Amino acid sequence: SRCESYEQFLEMSEAHFNLVLNPECRAAADDLSERLGMPYMELKRFYDPERIHRQYSAFFKVLGLQGENNENVKEGNASETVDSEDAAGTQRNPREDRGRRLLEREQRDYEETIQVVREFHRKHPDLKIAIGETLNADPFELSLALASGGARVMEVFGTVAAESMPYITRLAQISPQTRFYCNQDPSMMFFRGDENEICLALGKDAAHYHPETAQVNWNEDRQPFGYAGVRKLYEAMEAALGNPADSTETELLSGKEADSGGQMIPQPASGQVHGFRRHLTPFAPDQSGAVSVLYALGGMTVIVDAGGCAGNICGFDEPRWLMPQGAGAVFSAGLRDMDAILGRDDLLVEKLTEAAQTIRPEFIALVGTPVPAVIATDYRALKRMAEKKTSLKVLPVPTNGMELYDRGIEAAFLELMKTYAGEMPQDISAAVNGTCDTSERESGTERKQTPPAIGVIGFTPMDFRISEDAAALKKALTEQGYGEVLIYGLEGGLDAVRRAASVSRNLVVSPAGIAAADYLEKTFAIPYETGYPSGSADGDLLSEDGLVRQTEGSDRILIVHQQVRANALREQIRKDSKQSVTAASWFMMLPEMQEEGDVSLREEGDFISLVRDGGYDLIIADPVLKRLVPFYGGKWIDAVHFAVSGQAPAADRQSRA
């Protein structure tokens, strides 16, 4: 990784010997050994000084260093083996001198490390420790090393493999109280450790389970090895135990990490693991957002996967799947693993053709998942091949399964508008624009002016109730003077989308709709605005009188939802008051719609810190977020957000039943 050019990299073929410091490199070392006759030795990361000593002894033996007599020191090149006289006139070999110094240094390091270990355990007898696996160590080897020194290893969080068993067998003999937990087990989301039982947590996962105890993360990119690694670890543990409250100020502790330039990089709050969810379920991913846009348009939506992603969408992320009006046509590509990995596009096109002949959809949508993203599937080629075979329009939505739902909504709306907007027949255009009534024009009677139409972009069941909210939204816009309300992707099918180029204005009700609205404005000169009409969703919550009534007496308010809806609530609250209102979201936060103090949430700890430090006396958010802040004692108004909790509001649950 330090080679500055490809030519310099090729010089590595001239090496006589390789060291493997990570098991993942073993395959490369085997290849070099077979092709170039280049032997190698694997040095593992140990924390027991005795194991390190034995490993170095074996290494020195390979180098030909056998001890004080240096009987097996191999001859070097001519420049290295030229004899020289020492002060006493005795001829010495420079290579032998270097070998002797190396052996002496190893012995000194070994003795110094033994002393550091003994002193630490003498100072902290019966220290109770929890050890995780997200650290630069084998958790089982480290557990055995610490237990052998005198520590009481109470918990080990790690995945047991065959190579772990020798350590576990020995650990069972000297530390029978040690308990093992597997981080991959779903039940760990309910794990509650006894803080009184643990004095020190090693590793980010152990720190997560014991956030109030002294912590050492020990997972920096630049990590000392061998004896130096052992001494540094014990120094870090000593620092954490000496002043746990300030442990985040130490480079090797939980609060900060060092970058390649030695600068300190602020890290998440102590015990917080990036992306780890202890209380919240994963939010809806981008492919689910894309399906929510396409679901009711009469097309055939195909999830390009080997099986699995479609089940998650229909079983968890699409509330209309079990509704009485019937399920949409959502299919898994169902490719075999190797077909998916190798990108057998011809097989997918054959399946698409056969399915299209059976159900005769309006279009075919190809929604991406991690597999096609990893193998770089060419969606444009798939589109051309499938359109040629099926004579249907194909809408590629190259989601990757790694983004959140709003990115999928954004991509699907944009593809829809690029494909269908502007296809509306000319005889309907005038009516949509509000010029005249078509029936009167055909009969030759007097022209009658009709109200203009408005399009709504970004309305999906991920953010809104698809029945009550849609009806209330249409009612509110009609009262504002619009004659027809086209809620794209929800009502009117593809005909509504085809007429999108002829509405008088667009209303964007979520940040995910901005891209499509921009396209329509640039292509067809249709202006748009973002917002949500007062009183058009959630009954009393968003009704003008109801919301003001529920927020009376609250000086500091926090709203957590998608950005447009949160802003709409804030504007409504401020109509008759000067309350301090903060908007926060787990999803898109566009700078042009943010106010000073608004918060973009990423980790569970972000929300916990926001509530703990914000001094809010009212929170408007999905009720599932209450799990994160059991300490909060203020008022809470439920604003269900399906993409966050996967829980449909009461009205939708009844319709599904």
Side-chain angles (χ1 to χ4, degrees):
S1 62
R2 296 185 181 181
C3 295
E4 297 180 356
S5 65
Y6 183 64
E7 289 72 21
Q8 188 178 358
F9 170 74
L10 293 178
E11 292 176 5
M12 295 178 65
S13 65
E14 301 174 9
H16 297 105
F17 186 75
N18 283 324
L19 282 178
V20 174
L21 302 183
N22 190 309
E24 295 178 354
C25 305
R26 196 179 299 151
D30 283 332
D31 177 70
L32 292 172
S33 176
E34 180 180 346
R35 290 192 297 108
L36 303 179
M38 192 182 299
Y40 72 91
M41 179 180 181
E42 186 169 342
L43 295 183
K44 295 184 178 180
R45 181 182 293 278
F46 290 133
Y47 289 89
D48 183 343
E50 292 293 340
R51 290 194 190 89
I52 298 173
H53 183 59
R54 290 195 298 268
Q55 183 168 250
Y56 279 144
S57 296
F59 178 41
F60 294 154
K61 184 176 181 179
V62 171
L63 297 180
L65 306 178
Q66 289 294 316
E68 292 184 359
N69 295 328
N70 291 322
E71 296 175 356
N72 296 326
V73 174
K74 296 179 181 178
E75 293 296 326
N77 56 37
S79 63
E80 290 181 321
T81 56
V82 174
D83 292 340
S84 60
E85 284 193 9
D86 59 12
T90 305
Q91 288 189 339
R92 304 292 298 272
N93 187 317
R95 180 174 173 82
E96 290 181 2
D97 287 341
R98 287 198 297 272
R100 185 176 294 105
R101 289 196 297 270
L102 182 61
L103 290 168
E104 292 173 352
R105 177 177 177 181
E106 192 277 337
Q107 185 65 27
R108 287 197 304 271
D109 283 345
Y110 169 65
E111 294 173 355
E112 290 175 5
T113 304
I114 289 289
Q115 184 62 32
V116 168
V117 172
R118 288 175 179 172
E119 179 63 23
F120 177 85
H121 290 292
R122 184 196 63 79
K123 187 176 180 181
H124 303 283
D126 296 326
L127 178 66
K128 296 179 179 179
I129 298 178
I131 299 176
E133 62 182 340
T134 55
L135 76 173
N136 291 334
D138 180 323
F140 305 102
E141 190 277 332
L142 178 59
S143 300
L144 180 57
L146 291 173
S148 299
R152 298 184 62 187
V153 179
M154 308 303 296
E155 300 167 350
V156 179
F157 305 94
T159 303
V160 177
E163 55 266 26
S164 309
M165 293 311 299
Y167 304 126
I168 294 176
T169 302
R170 177 60 180 152
L171 194 61
Q173 298 173 356
I174 66 174
S175 181
Q177 80 279 358
T178 300
R179 299 185 297 273
F180 294 90
Y181 301 92
C182 178
N183 281 322
Q184 298 177 2
D185 193 289
S187 64
M188 291 303 292
M189 68 183 294
F190 304 110
F191 179 84
R192 299 292 184 273
D194 185 354
E195 299 299 339
N196 296 323
E197 187 179 49
I198 303 299
C199 303
L200 178 66
L202 300 180
K204 278 195 171 183
D205 45 348
H208 172 82
Y209 296 127
H210 298 282
E212 302 303 324
T213 193
Q215 302 168 6
V216 177
N217 278 351
W218 200 245
N219 68 336
E220 289 70 33
D221 290 335
R222 294 191 172 191
Q223 191 77 61
F225 189 83
Y227 297 125
V230 176
R231 293 195 294 267
K232 281 290 187 181
L233 174 61
Y234 276 86
E235 289 174 11
M237 292 193 296
E238 182 66 48
L241 292 169
N243 195 359
D246 295 333
S247 62
T248 55
E249 298 302 319
T250 304
E251 177 180 348
L252 296 176
L253 302 185
S254 61
K256 295 184 178 181
E257 294 179 354
D259 66 5
S260 59
Q263 298 299 313
M264 304 311 295
I265 305 173
Q267 296 296 312
S270 179
Q272 181 172 315
V273 182
H274 284 298
F276 184 83
R277 300 288 175 83
R278 184 170 182 175
H279 301 282
L280 299 178
T281 56
F283 298 153
D286 51 4
Q287 67 256 31
S288 297
V291 171
S292 71
V293 174
L294 304 167
Y295 188 84
L297 295 178
M300 182 174 74
T301 303
V302 178
I303 312 302
V304 186
D305 66 343
C309 295
N312 289 334
I313 292 169
C314 299
F316 301 100
D317 293 337
E318 180 44 69
R320 291 167 289 185
W321 183 254
L322 298 177
M323 286 186 176
Q325 56 264 42
V330 180
F331 297 94
S332 167
L335 300 175
R336 297 182 306 165
D337 290 348
M338 290 309 299
D339 293 334
I341 292 170
L342 297 176
R344 294 291 303 277
D345 295 343
D346 54 334
L347 295 180
L348 177 56
V349 172
E350 288 179 13
K351 287 189 173 187
L352 295 176
T353 303
E354 184 178 353
Q357 291 172 349
T358 301
I359 67 173
R360 300 186 183 280
E362 292 273 0
F363 61 89
I364 298 173
L366 302 175
V367 177
T369 64
V371 170
V374 169
I375 66 174
T377 294
D378 188 342
Y379 284 95
R380 290 179 297 178
L382 265 179
K383 170 183 170 72
R384 290 193 297 269
M385 293 167 61
E387 286 182 340
K388 185 176 181 180
K389 291 282 287 186
T390 64
S391 300
L392 293 171
K393 288 188 175 181
V394 175
L395 281 64
V397 186
T399 48
N400 58 24
M402 306 303 292
E403 304 287 345
L404 295 176
Y405 81 101
D406 47 0
R407 294 299 179 185
I409 291 176
E410 180 182 58
F413 268 124
L414 183 58
E415 186 64 27
L416 264 180
M417 294 305 173
K418 287 183 176 180
T419 303
Y420 287 107
E423 289 189 353
M424 183 196 68
Q426 184 64 32
D427 60 342
I428 304 178
S429 176
V432 175
N433 277 307
T435 55
C436 67
D437 183 276
T438 55
S439 60
E440 294 187 1
R441 184 185 62 188
E442 292 172 357
S443 63
T445 58
E446 182 180 354
R447 295 171 65 89
K448 178 182 178 181
Q449 192 73 19
T450 58
I454 186 172
V456 177
I457 307 177
F459 191 104
T460 73
M462 292 292 179
D463 298 322
F464 303 95
R465 300 180 301 176
I466 59 176
S467 51
E468 286 86 347
D469 289 356
L473 175 61
K474 293 173 69 174
K475 180 175 181 292
L477 292 174
T478 301
E479 291 175 352
Q480 292 181 14
Y482 293 102
E484 186 175 12
V485 179
L486 303 178
I487 304 180
Y488 303 123
L490 187 69
E491 298 177 344
L494 281 181
D495 286 342
V497 182
R498 291 187 176 104
R499 298 164 62 185
S502 302
V503 298
S504 61
R505 180 177 294 273
N506 281 317
L507 176 66
V508 180
V509 295
S510 75
I514 294 290
D518 276 336
Y519 169 78
L520 293 174
E521 183 177 53
K522 293 175 182 177
T523 307
F524 303 105
I526 301 173
Y528 72 90
E529 58 184 288
T530 60
Y532 206 80
S534 173
S536 57
D538 275 350
D540 285 343
L541 173 59
L542 281 178
S543 67
E544 193 165 344
D545 295 336
L547 183 61
V548 172
R549 184 175 64 253
Q550 294 184 68
T551 58
E552 285 179 353
S554 300
D555 296 323
R556 293 184 60 81
I557 301 173
L558 172 64
I559 303 173
V560 184
H561 214 287
Q562 54 98 330
Q563 190 179 24
V564 172
R565 195 167 180 188
N567 285 346
L569 281 168
R570 173 162 54 191
E571 292 174 7
Q572 189 170 323
I573 292 171
R574 286 176 172 172
K575 281 184 178 179
D576 301 314
S577 68
K578 295 183 179 179
Q579 293 156 303
S580 172
V581 184
T582 300
S585 181
W586 301 95
F587 309 106
M588 289 185 186
M589 290 287 280
L590 303 181
E592 59 270 25
M593 291 193 290
Q594 281 187 261
E595 291 188 7
E596 184 177 355
D598 286 355
V599 179
S600 180
L601 302 170
R602 289 294 177 266
E603 309 290 344
E604 287 186 347
D606 297 339
F607 181 73
I608 295 171
S609 299
L610 179 63
V611 175
R612 184 185 59 232
D613 304 332
Y616 303 107
D617 46 17
L618 171 63
I619 296 177
I620 303 174
D622 192 293
V624 75
L625 298 180
K626 293 178 183 178
R627 303 174 186 171
L628 298 177
V629 288
F631 56 84
Y632 176 69
K635 294 169 57 180
W636 189 293
I637 298 177
D638 290 344
V640 175
H641 195 174
F642 184 82
V644 170
S645 63
Q647 299 295 318
D652 279 350
R653 287 199 296 269
Q654 292 173 1
S655 63
R656 291 177 68 177

